Amino acid sequence: MQTITKDSGHQTVITTFEMSPGTCQDLLDALTDAYEAFISKQPGFIAASLHVNDAQTRIANYSQWNRREDFQAMLRSDEMRTRNRKINELCRSFEPVMYEVAATFG
């Protein structure tokens, strides 16, 4: 369960993917499989969500990790390197960026 709070100490990663409408579902399937089969089972993983825009040209991924090092270790694994090569073929670009929560409202 994702909990977004300023003082959680968790590492937040927001990744945006840019693709064509023709590859959106394939990319969504690849990301879903990566989370279900591998990423969600990695040490430090807390939660994630995938968001698709109406035009099916962008996917936003929000994930939370206990520590920055946990996310980095997952990315460096052989399994994720292989998956990222496939993901890269399905989109024009993707960029994971690490954030700390600065404020929440509501």
Side-chain angles (χ1 to χ4, degrees):
M1 174 80 144
Q2 291 176 355
T3 304
I4 304 170
T5 60
K6 182 177 177 183
D7 299 320
S8 72
H10 297 148
Q11 183 66 59
T12 299
V13 180
I14 300 174
T15 306
T16 53
F17 301 83
E18 185 178 347
M19 81 294 294
S20 69
T23 59
C24 181
Q25 188 59 53
D26 294 332
L27 180 56
L28 189 58
D29 290 346
L31 292 169
T32 299
D33 183 64
Y35 272 104
E36 289 177 348
F38 180 70
I39 299 171
S40 65
K41 295 170 177 49
Q42 298 310 295
F45 175 81
I46 297 170
S49 57
L50 296 168
H51 308 262
V52 180
N53 73 334
D54 289 345
Q56 295 189 336
T57 56
R58 293 190 185 272
I59 293 175
N61 171 222
Y62 182 95
S63 65
Q64 288 180 319
W65 296 81
N66 281 325
R67 302 173 315 130
R68 170 183 297 258
E69 294 82 9
D70 296 328
F71 175 74
Q72 291 171 330
M74 179 277 300
L75 277 184
R76 292 182 185 125
S77 69
D78 290 339
E79 171 89 14
M80 203 60 218
R81 287 179 185 196
T82 299
R83 287 180 181 272
N84 274 338
R85 281 191 285 277
K86 179 181 177 185
I87 288 167
N88 191 52
E89 292 173 3
L90 294 171
C91 61
R92 290 187 189 110
S93 65
F94 72 97
E95 180 180 15
V97 179
M98 293 187 210
Y99 295 89
E100 291 184 16
V101 177
T104 59
F105 307 94

